[in-house]
Amino acid sequence: MTVSPVATRNVRASFIAMVVAIAVWVYLMPPPAAVRAETLHAGALLILVIGLWALGALPEYLTGLIFFLLAMLLAIVPPNVVFSGFASSTLWLVLGGLILAAAVTHTGLGERFARLLLDRFSLSYAGLIAIVVLVSVLLAFVMPATVSRVLLLIPILTAAAARMGFAPGSNGYNGICLAAIMGTYQCGTSVLPANAPNLILAGAAETLYHAHLTYAEYLYLQFPVMGVLKGLAIVLLIRLLFPATLQSSADTRVTRKPMSAAEWRLAAILLAALLLWMTDFIHGIQPGWVALAAAIVCLLPRVGAVPLTVFNERVRFGPFFYIAAVLGVGSMMSASGLGQALGHILQNALELVPHHDARNFASLTLLGTFTGLATINTVQPAVLAPLAGHFATLAHWPVKAALMTMAIGFGTVFLPYQVPPIVVGLQLAGIPLRTALRLTLPLAVLSLVVLFPVDYFWWRTVGYFGH
């Protein structure tokens, strides 16, 4: 039975109307005993904004602008709280990343890099899948925008799959594309500037707790398991679930031109930024200012890598305002007391106990993971980060430890709709959602059963729980 697009739109419209009605009802209802009016009003605005984001009712940035408007008109919290995201270096990391991603695409450096590795190391199907995942991971270090990386890789890989004799819909075609899509997002959650949820989490840590998640610290803690081991898990599962064999005559090599001067300059700028990111624990310069400086150099006349017109023509500012709004939502939850109230409710469900690190780790990572089933990945840290301080106090952890468990949660995907860039990649490759589920569900279960316990022992080994 096929559901018509009109019926789908009507169902979504009904859910949107329900979200708006619930938000209005919560806003107008009398505050319960011991609950401040601003806390209740913040809850109403949270229901509205999170509901609109989760349902995709409007473009994310437009919902974010609605949040700014209503928060100011309703005077729920002061303006410095509503717009606190603009004072976060993380937001400027987003802007710098958008410019760098546009430069990588404009100069052709990203495509050259991807094709170079694919042409040189694609010797077998299993080897090809491994190289696709490796390329996806490496691009996360130099191209901080998940959608941009997906949009770069999928056209290259669909063309490569065709040259190898893999028709759309075949195991080989699906395996190659899914390796890029899943590797780009899921492994990218272990590299700080690579994905929007990472940046939202870092921004929330800064604005709510004045805690700075450095590039090196984030990489050291998350990459060994959620980057390397998860990448290996993706390769093994695709090899098992989407088996295929390369044709012996398959040749993906194409003639390439030498690198242009703009590509060389951009490569030097990206290398310098990467080195500064990786050594931020030495010099103390936050990743946002490194990214912004690299972006400015990219745009400078003569010494830069791209013309100034790229800023106006290729940089899309939607993510900038969207993440600013998400950070503002987190600050509103904290300042209004809503975060503390939700923390008390969740504490009764989670039963965090001091010095029971394994139990607390399991509770918080599972909370972060299953929150994603009710919303989209970028909203997860906005909802949970304001609760991290309360959780950390109950578990007797540093607040960073409670925050970092959320990265494990939003890096674990059960259903494709949780991550908009995954949906974009599937649509671009023409892969049905039911096909993607053949990989996302086993990978999520493997993460819960194997990778989460390994992550716990890694954190314990490096002393991240603070005792």
Side-chain angles (χ1 to χ4, degrees), residues 299-432:
L299 294 171
L300 286 177
R302 298 185 181 179
V303 299
V306 293
L308 283 171
T309 54
V310 167
F311 185 82
N312 292 325
E313 296 173 1
R314 288 181 175 263
V315 178
R316 302 178 64 180
F317 289 93
F320 180 79
F321 289 102
Y322 168 52
I323 292 180
V326 170
L327 296 177
V329 168
S331 296
M332 177 194 71
M333 290 177 65
S334 178
S336 66
L338 180 61
Q340 185 177 8
L342 292 175
H344 285 300
I345 294 172
L346 288 173
Q347 161 59 10
N348 295 330
L350 296 178
E351 296 183 352
L352 300 179
V353 180
H355 306 300
H356 286 67
D357 293 335
R359 175 178 176 176
N360 296 336
F361 182 86
S363 296
L364 292 179
T365 51
L366 290 175
L367 173 65
T369 299
F370 288 103
T371 299
L373 292 174
T375 183
I376 57 175
N377 66 318
T378 44
V379 177
Q380 286 171 263
V383 172
L384 296 177
L387 312 178
H390 185 69
F391 294 153
T393 300
L394 293 170
H396 287 197
W397 283 359
V399 70
K400 284 186 179 181
L403 287 164
M404 285 290 200
T405 61
M406 298 169 191
I408 299 175
F410 61 65
T412 304
V413 179
F414 282 91
L415 305 173
Y417 82 85
Q418 294 176 233
V419 184
I422 289 180
V423 177
V424 170
L426 294 176
Q427 292 175 345
L428 189 62
I431 298 176

Side-chain angles (χ1 to χ4, degrees), residues 17-259:
M18 187 183 304
V19 166
V20 173
I22 293 172
V24 172
W25 176 73
V26 171
Y27 183 84
L28 295 177
M29 68 180 293
V35 176
R36 295 182 299 163
E38 55 265 34
T39 301
L40 195 65
H41 295 166
L45 186 53
L46 179 70
I47 291 170
L48 176 65
V49 173
I50 298 299
L52 294 179
W53 275 331
L55 293 171
L58 297 168
E60 289 86 353
Y61 68 88
L62 186 55
T63 299
L65 294 176
I66 291 173
F67 161 74
F68 289 133
L69 176 64
L70 292 180
M72 293 305 299
L73 291 178
L74 301 175
I76 295 173
V77 288
N80 64 308
V81 174
V82 176
F83 299 106
S84 60
F86 290 95
S88 168
S89 66
T90 301
L91 187 64
W92 301 98
L93 175 60
V94 173
L95 180 60
L98 291 171
I99 296 171
L100 292 175
V104 167
T105 303
H106 178 81
T107 61
L109 182 64
E111 182 175 355
R112 179 184 297 276
F113 176 72
R115 288 190 184 277
L116 175 66
L117 289 177
L118 288 171
D119 292 355
R120 182 164 297 182
F121 297 107
S122 301
L123 302 178
S124 66
Y125 178 69
L128 175 60
I129 296 301
I131 289 302
V132 169
V133 173
L134 177 62
V135 170
S136 302
V137 174
L138 292 179
L139 280 176
F141 286 92
V142 297
M143 197 173 183
T146 310
V147 171
S148 297
R149 298 196 302 275
V150 168
L151 293 177
L152 169 69
L153 285 174
I154 293 302
I156 297 172
L157 293 174
T158 53
R163 290 197 299 272
M164 294 170 184
F166 294 135
S170 66
N171 272 352
Y173 177 93
N174 291 336
I176 291 170
C177 293
L178 286 173
I181 295 168
M182 298 304 166
T184 294
Y185 174 73
Q186 298 216 37
C187 297
T189 57
S190 64
V191 182
L192 181 56
N195 289 336
N198 309 9
L199 299 175
I200 294 169
L201 181 65
E206 182 180 349
T207 56
L208 298 176
Y209 307 108
H210 305 290
H212 300 293
L213 302 181
T214 66
Y215 182 99
E217 176 186 9
Y218 194 99
L219 189 71
Y220 178 68
L221 193 68
Q222 302 286 5
F223 190 70
V225 177
M226 306 312 289
V228 176
L229 294 186
K230 180 162 279 192
L232 292 174
I234 292 172
V235 173
L236 293 174
L237 285 175
I238 289 178
R239 186 68 185 89
L240 177 66
L241 300 173
F242 299 90
T245 303
L246 288 183
Q247 297 179 3
S248 58
S249 60
D251 185 359
T252 63
R253 289 172 293 182
V254 295
T255 302
R256 286 184 298 272
K257 298 178 181 179
M259 284 181 65

